[in-house]
Amino acid sequence: MKDQTVIITGSSDGIGAVAARVLKGRGANVVIVGRSPEKTKRVAEALKVPYYVTDFAKLDEVRQLASDIKRAYPRIDVLINNAGGIFGDRELTVDGFEKTLQVNYLAPYLLTNLLMDTLIKSKAKVLNTSSIANKVFSDLDINDLNMANNYTMHKAYGNSKLENILFTKELNIRYGSAGLAAVCFHPGNIATNFASSSKGFIKFLYHGPFKKLFGLITPEKGADNMIWLATSEPGKDWTPGEYYIKHKIGKAIDKAYDTELARKLWNQSATMVGI
């Protein structure tokens, strides 16, 4: 990892912050991206690395982030799309999209595409944080990505994690031959500030007094898959386009292997974000 440039979104807390610390320790030029100005600055200053504050619920900020990164870093060796969350009631962003869809999927889709020239030139790895929620909660309707009908926060989150997998697979189809290596992974169920904006059982699970009983793991353990994928060799240690759990190819929901669905999602997403 020595002298490689690694961009990590969602790295002001949790597994992103852990990965940033570990990768910096291995010689990488880490760049922190977070939503909270205070937390992002604190993590970046502790590691003595550059940082950007970006709210993924505002696509103009994502566009500005991409512009700033391209200007500052002519080479990007690893892009880790890790920012995300689970939210409560259905809410539309300033861009008019359901918040979970935008923060967890559309924003990283846009960021990756805006950085594409640099990523291809660098033969970069693109790591997308997914979740087993794709299998547990998702019920994706390609004709209702904004979930105007039948919204629940669990389904919205599961859909976004399935979209991360479909995006990874289509990214590999479109750009794998150009040298880009895309992969996604489930980090585990982690005891962090994740789900702090949610409600009900999910919030109780992640923030209640019995979270250890539910098998939640530490951010240090949760970052393991991310660190392994970032530091190992695609094509040798892992297969581009796949979904990983604990260093092995995992089984996602059946829709994750629908190539036509992946293509339709990509094209709809391009129209939605204006690229």
Side-chain angles (χ1 to χ4, degrees):
M1 291 300 292
K2 186 169 177 57
D3 296 329
Q4 290 192 15
T5 297
V6 182
I7 314 288
I8 312 177
T9 72
S11 49
S12 63
D13 199 358
I15 63 172
V18 171
R21 184 180 72 242
V22 172
L23 296 177
K24 171 71 186 311
R26 296 188 186 183
N29 299 318
V30 172
V31 180
I32 298 285
V33 180
R35 181 178 62 85
S36 164
E38 296 80 14
K39 289 166 64 176
T40 306
K41 181 181 180 182
R42 183 164 61 246
V43 171
E45 288 185 344
L47 295 178
K48 295 181 173 58
V49 298
Y51 70 95
Y52 297 89
V53 175
T54 305
D55 185 351
F56 275 23
K58 300 174 182 177
L59 291 182
D60 277 349
E61 292 195 14
V62 177
R63 295 183 182 99
Q64 184 62 53
L65 172 66
S67 177
D68 291 343
I69 287 175
K70 286 188 76 170
R71 185 165 53 249
Y73 303 98
R75 179 178 181 86
I76 300 171
D77 296 280
V78 186
L79 171 64
I80 304 178
N81 289 315
N82 176 63
I86 183 169
F87 308 101
D89 297 330
R90 184 175 184 270
E91 177 185 347
L92 297 183
T93 68
V94 294
D95 302 287
F97 303 122
E98 190 275 315
K99 187 175 182 179
T100 319
L101 168 73
Q102 178 164 324
V103 171
N104 292 6
Y105 167 64
L106 282 178
Y109 170 90
L110 176 60
L111 178 63
T112 304
N113 274 278
L114 292 177
L115 295 175
M116 193 62 73
D117 290 348
T118 304
L119 294 170
I120 290 173
K121 183 176 65 177
S122 307
K123 297 193 179 303
K125 304 172 195 173
V126 178
L127 280 51
N128 297 316
T129 303
S130 183
S131 166
I132 57 169
N134 83 84
K135 203 170 183 179
V136 179
F137 296 128
S138 71
D139 185 21
L140 183 65
D141 181 354
I142 192 66
N143 297 310
D144 186 22
L145 294 180
N146 265 321
M147 298 191 70
N149 303 301
N150 303 316
Y151 172 91
T152 71
M153 67 177 183
H154 306 90
K155 192 186 298 183
Y157 181 69
N159 284 352
S160 72
K161 296 294 101 179
L162 170 57
E163 287 154 358
N164 293 149
I165 298 174
L166 291 167
F167 170 49
T168 300
K169 290 185 175 297
E170 186 67 11
L171 193 58
N172 184 61
I173 289 171
R174 290 177 182 245
Y175 298 105
S177 61
L180 195 72
V183 68
C184 58
F185 63 97
H186 167 60
N189 299 317
I190 304 156
T192 68
N193 285 328
F194 175 80
S196 59
S197 300
S198 67
K199 59 183 181 179
F201 175 74
I202 289 292
K203 187 166 186 176
F204 176 76
L205 170 63
Y206 279 90
H207 299 281
F210 305 111
K211 56 188 180 183
K212 287 186 178 180
L213 295 179
F214 289 112
L216 298 189
I217 62 177
T218 64
E220 285 70 23
K221 288 184 178 179
D224 175 69
N225 237 10
M226 181 187 291
I227 294 164
W228 171 65
L229 291 166
T231 56
S232 54
E233 187 177 335
K236 178 183 176 183
D237 301 308
W238 49 266
T239 304
E242 294 292 350
Y243 163 64
Y244 276 81
I245 302 174
K246 294 181 178 178
H247 298 209
K248 296 180 180 179
I249 295 175
K251 181 68 174 73
I253 194 170
D254 288 347
K255 281 186 178 181
Y257 306 96
D258 186 335
T259 55
E260 180 62 15
L261 179 62
R263 186 188 64 82
K264 287 181 177 179
L265 177 64
W266 182 288
N267 291 337
Q268 271 201 51
S269 303
T271 300
M272 293 168 83
V273 301
I275 58 173

